[in-house]
Amino acid sequence: MRRLEKATETPTPAIGVSTSGLPADLLQEASRRLGWAALIYAATFFLAAIAPHLVRVGTSVIPENELWDGPVQLTISWISIGVGIAVFLLSRYARIRPDLLLDLGLVFEVIGAFGISMSQFWGFAPQWSPDFFERGYYGVPWECVWIVLFPLLAPNTPGKTGLASVAAASTGLLTILLSKAAGATSPEAPMRFFLFYFGFTTYICAGLAIFISHVIYKFGRQLRQAREIGSYRLVKPLGTGGMGEVWLAQHRLLARPAAIKLIRAEALGSDETTRRTALRRFEREARATAMLGSVNTIQLYDFGVTEDGAFYYVMELLQGMNLEGFVRRFGPLSPERAVHLLRQACRSLGEAHESGLIHRDVKPANIYVCRVGPDHDVVKVLDFGLVKSVRADEPGATELTREGVATGTPAFMAPEMALGKAEIDGRADIYGLGCVAYWMITGQRVFEADGSLATILAHVQEEPVPPSQRSELPIPAVLEQIIMSCLEKEPAGRPQSAAELDQRLAACDLGRGWTAEVAREWWSLHLPESEFESREAESAAIGEADLPTV
């Protein structure tokens, strides 16, 4: 029996959390914004400083006293363009952690501000007269915009942001000092004016940037805390469904990845009594699922209720694809492989049935084909979210169906479930598994009707077409016979248990079977491990319906 991990409140910092205070997915987005900001920075310098010179090639008309014409400004412009492009390339192609990249971004902020200051103030006031600064309003330095926008584009801690902002604000004064030393600015120009000018522009903007950073940092900490559930930290969303969403999560102490399925509070019911009943049901089902020991059943690590009333499951994270996407991507499976996968699903459902649990939503989206360690083509049955207990004497048991109410996915729903009968058993899952087998070897559903209601009626009234008539690939008669027996309208005509179905599948003489070596070669060719590493195993145990569920 699996033992659920007890959630702890250990104050140990979450593994992999940046000192910027932002969750990992927002850090990743911030690092991308930094790259785009650097590219825009480089493009702006090119258009303002280099493009005019290219346009004037071959002409003799050059405006006098043009700001960008000096060799110093042109040199600074080329350097600024190079730095901007370098930062963009680092953000896209270098394997640098997002938090470290944002730290490097602060260095870029200072360098970028210096480039802007040099373009504006090098050679400013080359001649001095007492009324020089009374001739007009000189406006706000462009680096003010850069300083204020940077913590929004590439957030960091208030301390680091403060240091970078003050340094960036000081680049104007530094440029004036260098310009005076080089003789480009009159040595008679008083520094007190520049201290006053930059003090009421760039340094005020530096203070505003620190305030912005403080607000973003506080928001990031609140968001990160909101994304901590028990002993797990939510890393990034993996998918959404009708009842909630699934997140990639990480155990704070073990650094073990997991998938957390959050069921929204509003999906539990509209009134308090209904919500309490639903929560008791989910808790009972989570405990029952966790007791299942089959390697072909999704492992449940933990469950509980968040502070805002949402129910959550913590499940193992899988590398692979569900059968819905699997067949859509690679086409129908060979009979040998289909039998290999079906038998594993039988073992999972068989244990559940022996424990008094009926899945009630067996479909390709809930059967996962994955790699587990050195093993390939391992089946995991997912999403026991509609599971029903047939043990009336179970403490706290509640019936999940009512007479006349259909529950499940129409395309894979047994006739007795489509009619809303309350008395169902494991043979309803056998019917669903027959529909899954039909999909695996033909790439088509048993009934392709228009709309959910028409599909439900087809399962109740129409006879299915044998899979061999809907496939161009050869289908062994013995396998077709087994699939058609699973699709009998009356439960008595189907295999009476998952174990019986497993035995019949094992007895199929299909020649060369689907071996571990063949499976390993197939995965190496079609789904190499690098593909999952690049996607951070986003094909986690989501278990949300790809088809409508009623």
Side-chain angles (χ1 to χ4, degrees):
M1 181 178 73
R2 294 183 187 146
R3 181 174 176 269
L4 293 183
E5 297 172 359
K6 183 178 180 181
T8 60
E9 300 300 329
T10 306
T12 303
I15 297 173
V17 176
S18 166
T19 55
S20 68
L22 293 179
D25 57 328
L26 297 187
L27 278 176
Q28 189 69 32
E29 179 61 29
S31 65
R32 292 187 64 83
R33 289 200 305 268
L34 172 63
W36 285 118
L39 189 62
I40 293 173
Y41 177 87
T44 301
F45 261 96
F46 178 82
L47 293 174
I50 307 302
H53 288 273
L54 297 178
V55 172
R56 290 199 302 269
V57 171
T59 67
S60 58
V61 180
I62 301 178
E64 295 182 0
N65 300 322
E66 186 170 330
L67 180 65
W68 301 92
D69 274 351
V72 175
Q73 285 91 344
L74 285 176
T75 301
I76 290 297
S77 297
W78 281 114
I79 294 175
S80 298
I81 292 171
V83 170
I85 293 176
V87 173
F88 173 77
L89 294 177
L90 282 175
S91 70
R92 290 300 182 272
Y93 303 108
R95 301 181 66 88
I96 302 177
R97 296 197 323 269
D99 54 341
L100 179 57
L101 184 62
L102 292 180
D103 288 343
L104 294 176
L106 295 179
V107 178
F108 171 59
E109 177 186 5
V110 178
I111 296 175
F114 183 65
I116 297 173
S117 296
M118 288 290 290
S119 68
Q120 276 192 284
F121 296 108
W122 182 269
F124 187 73
Q127 297 179 348
W128 168 253
S129 63
D131 63 340
F132 185 88
F133 296 106
E134 298 176 2
R135 297 175 185 175
Y137 174 65
Y138 291 95
V140 177
W142 280 107
E143 56 263 38
C144 282
V145 178
W146 180 253
I147 293 170
V148 172
L149 287 181
F150 208 87
L152 294 172
L153 297 172
N156 216 305
T157 62
K160 293 180 180 179
T161 300
L163 289 174
S165 298
V166 171
S170 303
T171 57
L173 283 174
L174 177 61
T175 298
I176 294 295
L177 289 172
L178 292 175
S179 184
K180 291 182 70 174
T185 295
S186 173
E188 297 178 359
M191 287 302 298
R192 65 179 181 273
F193 169 80
F194 295 107
L195 288 172
F196 182 84
Y197 175 69
F198 289 112
F200 280 88
T201 54
T202 57
Y203 284 101
I204 287 180
C205 289
L208 181 59
I210 296 173
F211 173 76
I212 293 173
S213 177
H214 177 75
V215 172
I216 295 177
Y217 183 76
K218 182 179 180 181
F219 166 76
R221 291 190 62 181
Q222 291 174 346
L223 182 60
R224 192 179 68 203
Q225 291 172 359
R227 289 186 175 184
E228 292 182 354
I229 296 180
S231 297
Y232 292 86
R233 176 177 61 86
L234 301 184
V235 177
K236 69 175 182 177
L238 296 178
T240 59
M243 296 186 67
E245 53 194 21
V246 178
W247 286 75
L248 171 65
Q250 190 174 51
H251 194 281
R252 289 187 293 172
L253 299 180
L254 302 177
R256 177 185 63 191
I260 291 186
K261 183 173 181 179
L262 287 169
I263 299 175
R264 293 187 294 267
E266 57 268 25
L268 299 177
S270 57
D271 59 88
E272 188 63 27
T273 301
T274 303
R275 279 196 291 270
R276 283 200 301 267
T277 301
L279 286 175
R280 286 198 300 269
R281 180 193 68 183
F282 279 123
E283 180 177 351
R284 176 176 54 82
E285 292 164 0
R287 293 185 183 278
T289 304
M291 292 177 62
L292 300 176
S294 173
V295 296
N296 299 120
T297 300
I298 183 73
Q299 290 188 29
L300 183 65
Y301 296 145
D302 199 358
F303 69 92
V305 182
T306 63
E307 293 182 357
D308 58 358
F311 193 86
Y312 67 88
Y313 298 101
V314 183
M315 305 171 290
E316 64 177 314
L317 190 69
L318 303 176
Q319 286 189 339
M321 301 176 67
N322 63 41
L323 279 176
E324 178 76 22
F326 203 93
V327 173
R328 291 188 184 280
R329 179 172 175 180
F330 300 110
L333 278 62
S334 67
E336 297 83 2
R337 191 176 194 182
V339 168
H340 174 73
L341 299 179
L342 287 170
R343 293 193 62 197
Q344 295 181 69
C346 285
R347 288 193 282 273
S348 171
L349 294 174
E351 184 194 20
H353 296 165
E354 291 177 2
S355 301
L357 300 175
I358 308 169
H359 192 287
R360 300 199 311 164
D361 199 21
V362 177
K363 58 185 177 183
N366 284 339
I367 297 181
Y368 220 80
V369 185
C370 59
R371 174 174 46 224
V372 179
D375 299 323
H376 300 74
D377 260 16
V378 178
V379 163
K380 294 282 185 176
V381 178
L382 315 178
D383 202 1
F384 282 75
L386 295 180
V387 69
K388 168 185 167 65
S389 175
V390 296
R391 294 180 178 176
D393 59 344
E394 181 183 342
T398 56
E399 287 295 336
L400 304 186
T401 59
R402 291 174 293 161
E403 189 73 31
V405 177
T407 305
T409 303
F412 305 93
M413 189 183 297
E416 61 269 30
M417 291 180 61
L419 294 172
K421 294 182 178 180
E423 296 298 327
I424 62 172
D425 55 30
R427 292 173 294 183
D429 288 344
I430 299 298
Y431 186 94
L433 199 55
C435 294
V436 171
Y438 199 102
W439 166 259
M440 291 167 65
I441 63 174
T442 66
Q444 302 181 61
R445 298 168 196 161
V446 177
F447 298 107
E448 301 281 357
D450 295 330
S452 298
L453 182 58
T455 302
I456 290 174
L457 290 176
H459 280 284
V460 174
Q461 299 173 351
E462 299 180 17
E463 291 298 324
V465 177
S468 59
Q469 298 181 22
R470 299 184 65 186
S471 175
E472 298 178 355
L473 302 175
I475 298 176
V478 61
L479 178 58
E480 181 174 79
Q481 182 182 5
I482 293 174
I483 294 174
M484 295 300 290
S485 68
C486 293
L487 299 178
E488 289 288 341
K489 303 297 182 186
E490 293 297 328
R494 307 169 198 155
Q496 296 301 289
S497 67
E500 179 184 337
L501 177 57
D502 185 23
Q503 292 174 358
R504 293 181 60 178
L505 290 169
C508 290
D509 185 11
L510 302 181
R512 182 174 181 266
W514 186 261
T515 64
E517 182 61 31
V518 174
R520 186 180 302 106
E521 291 177 358
W522 188 95
W523 279 76
S524 298
L525 179 63
H526 296 91
L527 285 174
E529 191 169 357
S530 58
E531 176 174 340
F532 296 104
E533 291 176 351
S534 62
R535 292 190 292 139
E536 294 185 52
E538 289 184 18
S539 53
I542 293 177
E544 288 290 352
D546 296 328
L547 303 172
T549 300
V550 298

Short mmCIF file of all heavy atoms in Angstrom, two decimals, residues 276-282 284-285 360 387-392 394-401:
data_model
loop_
_atom_site.label_atom_id
_atom_site.label_comp_id
_atom_site.label_asym_id
_atom_site.label_seq_id
_atom_site.Cartn_x
_atom_site.Cartn_y
_atom_site.Cartn_z
N ARG A 276 -18.86 20.75 0.93
CA ARG A 276 -18.37 19.83 1.96
C ARG A 276 -18.52 18.39 1.51
O ARG A 276 -17.63 17.56 1.73
CB ARG A 276 -19.10 20.08 3.27
CG ARG A 276 -18.64 21.32 4.03
CD ARG A 276 -19.04 21.22 5.49
NE ARG A 276 -20.49 21.10 5.63
CZ ARG A 276 -21.32 22.12 5.81
NH1 ARG A 276 -20.83 23.36 5.86
NH2 ARG A 276 -22.61 21.94 5.93
N THR A 277 -19.66 18.09 0.88
CA THR A 277 -19.87 16.73 0.39
C THR A 277 -18.85 16.37 -0.68
O THR A 277 -18.28 15.27 -0.68
CB THR A 277 -21.29 16.59 -0.18
OG1 THR A 277 -22.24 16.90 0.83
CG2 THR A 277 -21.53 15.17 -0.69
N ALA A 278 -18.59 17.31 -1.59
CA ALA A 278 -17.62 17.06 -2.65
C ALA A 278 -16.22 16.88 -2.08
O ALA A 278 -15.47 16.00 -2.53
CB ALA A 278 -17.65 18.21 -3.65
N LEU A 279 -15.86 17.68 -1.09
CA LEU A 279 -14.53 17.55 -0.48
C LEU A 279 -14.37 16.21 0.21
O LEU A 279 -13.32 15.57 0.12
CB LEU A 279 -14.30 18.69 0.50
CG LEU A 279 -14.04 20.08 -0.11
CD1 LEU A 279 -13.95 21.13 0.97
CD2 LEU A 279 -12.76 20.07 -0.93
N ARG A 280 -15.41 15.76 0.90
CA ARG A 280 -15.34 14.43 1.54
C ARG A 280 -15.20 13.34 0.49
O ARG A 280 -14.47 12.37 0.67
CB ARG A 280 -16.60 14.19 2.39
CG ARG A 280 -16.63 14.99 3.69
CD ARG A 280 -17.64 14.40 4.65
NE ARG A 280 -18.99 14.41 4.10
CZ ARG A 280 -19.86 15.39 4.26
NH1 ARG A 280 -19.51 16.47 4.95
NH2 ARG A 280 -21.07 15.32 3.73
N ARG A 281 -15.90 13.52 -0.64
CA ARG A 281 -15.82 12.54 -1.71
C ARG A 281 -14.41 12.49 -2.29
O ARG A 281 -13.83 11.41 -2.45
CB ARG A 281 -16.82 12.89 -2.81
CG ARG A 281 -16.81 11.91 -3.99
CD ARG A 281 -17.58 12.48 -5.17
NE ARG A 281 -16.88 13.63 -5.75
CZ ARG A 281 -17.37 14.35 -6.75
NH1 ARG A 281 -18.55 14.09 -7.25
NH2 ARG A 281 -16.66 15.37 -7.23
N PHE A 282 -13.83 13.67 -2.60
CA PHE A 282 -12.49 13.72 -3.16
C PHE A 282 -11.47 13.13 -2.19
O PHE A 282 -10.55 12.43 -2.59
CB PHE A 282 -12.11 15.15 -3.52
CG PHE A 282 -12.67 15.61 -4.83
CD1 PHE A 282 -13.47 16.74 -4.90
CD2 PHE A 282 -12.40 14.91 -5.99
CE1 PHE A 282 -13.98 17.17 -6.11
CE2 PHE A 282 -12.93 15.34 -7.21
CZ PHE A 282 -13.72 16.47 -7.26
N ARG A 284 -12.01 10.86 0.13
CA ARG A 284 -12.18 9.41 0.19
C ARG A 284 -11.60 8.75 -1.05
O ARG A 284 -10.92 7.73 -0.98
CB ARG A 284 -13.67 9.07 0.30
CG ARG A 284 -13.96 7.57 0.26
CD ARG A 284 -15.45 7.30 0.48
NE ARG A 284 -16.26 8.05 -0.46
CZ ARG A 284 -16.50 7.63 -1.72
NH1 ARG A 284 -15.96 6.52 -2.15
NH2 ARG A 284 -17.27 8.34 -2.51
N GLU A 285 -11.82 9.37 -2.22
CA GLU A 285 -11.32 8.81 -3.46
C GLU A 285 -9.80 8.90 -3.54
O GLU A 285 -9.14 7.99 -4.06
CB GLU A 285 -11.96 9.53 -4.64
CG GLU A 285 -13.45 9.24 -4.76
CD GLU A 285 -14.16 10.22 -5.67
OE1 GLU A 285 -13.48 11.13 -6.20
OE2 GLU A 285 -15.38 10.10 -5.83
N ARG A 360 -14.83 4.71 -14.43
CA ARG A 360 -15.96 5.39 -15.08
C ARG A 360 -15.58 6.42 -16.13
O ARG A 360 -16.46 7.04 -16.71
CB ARG A 360 -16.87 6.07 -14.04
CG ARG A 360 -17.47 5.13 -13.03
CD ARG A 360 -18.67 5.74 -12.36
NE ARG A 360 -18.38 7.09 -11.87
CZ ARG A 360 -19.34 7.95 -11.53
NH1 ARG A 360 -20.60 7.60 -11.64
NH2 ARG A 360 -19.02 9.14 -11.07
N VAL A 387 -14.11 8.36 -10.18
CA VAL A 387 -14.16 7.01 -9.62
C VAL A 387 -15.37 6.85 -8.70
O VAL A 387 -15.79 7.77 -8.01
CB VAL A 387 -12.85 6.71 -8.84
CG1 VAL A 387 -12.75 7.52 -7.58
CG2 VAL A 387 -12.75 5.23 -8.53
N LYS A 388 -15.95 5.64 -8.72
CA LYS A 388 -17.13 5.34 -7.90
C LYS A 388 -16.83 4.11 -7.06
O LYS A 388 -16.23 3.14 -7.54
CB LYS A 388 -18.33 5.06 -8.81
CG LYS A 388 -19.54 4.44 -8.10
CD LYS A 388 -20.61 4.12 -9.12
CE LYS A 388 -21.69 3.22 -8.52
NZ LYS A 388 -22.45 3.86 -7.45
N SER A 389 -17.21 4.17 -5.81
CA SER A 389 -17.07 3.02 -4.92
C SER A 389 -18.35 2.20 -4.96
O SER A 389 -19.45 2.75 -4.90
CB SER A 389 -16.79 3.48 -3.49
OG SER A 389 -16.78 2.36 -2.62
N VAL A 390 -18.20 0.90 -5.11
CA VAL A 390 -19.37 0.02 -5.14
C VAL A 390 -19.61 -0.61 -3.78
O VAL A 390 -20.49 -1.46 -3.64
CB VAL A 390 -19.20 -1.09 -6.20
CG1 VAL A 390 -19.14 -0.47 -7.59
CG2 VAL A 390 -17.95 -1.91 -5.93
N ARG A 391 -18.84 -0.21 -2.77
CA ARG A 391 -19.02 -0.75 -1.43
C ARG A 391 -19.92 0.17 -0.64
O ARG A 391 -19.53 1.24 -0.19
CB ARG A 391 -17.67 -0.89 -0.74
CG ARG A 391 -16.76 -1.93 -1.40
CD ARG A 391 -15.43 -2.05 -0.70
NE ARG A 391 -14.61 -3.07 -1.30
CZ ARG A 391 -13.36 -3.33 -0.94
NH1 ARG A 391 -12.78 -2.61 0.01
NH2 ARG A 391 -12.68 -4.29 -1.53
N ALA A 392 -21.15 -0.21 -0.50
CA ALA A 392 -22.13 0.64 0.17
C ALA A 392 -21.83 0.82 1.65
O ALA A 392 -22.24 1.80 2.27
CB ALA A 392 -23.53 0.06 0.00
N GLU A 394 -18.89 1.28 2.94
CA GLU A 394 -17.65 2.00 3.17
C GLU A 394 -17.93 3.25 3.98
O GLU A 394 -18.84 4.02 3.66
CB GLU A 394 -17.01 2.39 1.83
CG GLU A 394 -15.69 3.13 1.99
CD GLU A 394 -15.13 3.56 0.65
OE1 GLU A 394 -15.56 2.99 -0.35
OE2 GLU A 394 -14.27 4.45 0.65
N PRO A 395 -17.19 3.52 5.05
CA PRO A 395 -17.44 4.70 5.87
C PRO A 395 -17.31 5.98 5.04
O PRO A 395 -16.33 6.19 4.35
CB PRO A 395 -16.35 4.63 6.94
CG PRO A 395 -15.95 3.20 6.99
CD PRO A 395 -16.11 2.69 5.61
N GLY A 396 -18.34 6.82 5.11
CA GLY A 396 -18.30 8.09 4.41
C GLY A 396 -18.55 7.99 2.93
O GLY A 396 -18.42 8.97 2.19
N ALA A 397 -18.92 6.78 2.44
CA ALA A 397 -19.12 6.62 1.01
C ALA A 397 -20.33 7.40 0.55
O ALA A 397 -21.34 7.48 1.22
CB ALA A 397 -19.31 5.13 0.68
N THR A 398 -20.26 7.96 -0.59
CA THR A 398 -21.37 8.70 -1.18
C THR A 398 -21.52 8.25 -2.61
O THR A 398 -20.53 8.04 -3.33
CB THR A 398 -21.12 10.23 -1.16
OG1 THR A 398 -19.90 10.49 -1.82
CG2 THR A 398 -21.07 10.76 0.25
N GLU A 399 -22.73 8.10 -3.08
CA GLU A 399 -22.97 7.71 -4.46
C GLU A 399 -22.65 8.89 -5.36
O GLU A 399 -23.10 10.01 -5.11
CB GLU A 399 -24.44 7.29 -4.63
CG GLU A 399 -24.76 5.94 -4.01
CD GLU A 399 -24.03 4.81 -4.70
OE1 GLU A 399 -23.66 4.97 -5.87
OE2 GLU A 399 -23.81 3.78 -4.07
N LEU A 400 -21.91 8.64 -6.41
CA LEU A 400 -21.50 9.70 -7.32
C LEU A 400 -22.43 9.80 -8.52
O LEU A 400 -22.26 10.67 -9.36
CB LEU A 400 -20.07 9.48 -7.79
CG LEU A 400 -19.04 9.34 -6.69
CD1 LEU A 400 -17.66 9.26 -7.30
CD2 LEU A 400 -19.14 10.49 -5.72
N THR A 401 -23.38 8.92 -8.61
CA THR A 401 -24.33 8.98 -9.71
C THR A 401 -25.74 8.95 -9.15
O THR A 401 -25.98 8.51 -8.04
CB THR A 401 -24.16 7.80 -10.67
OG1 THR A 401 -24.35 6.58 -9.95
CG2 THR A 401 -22.79 7.79 -11.29
#
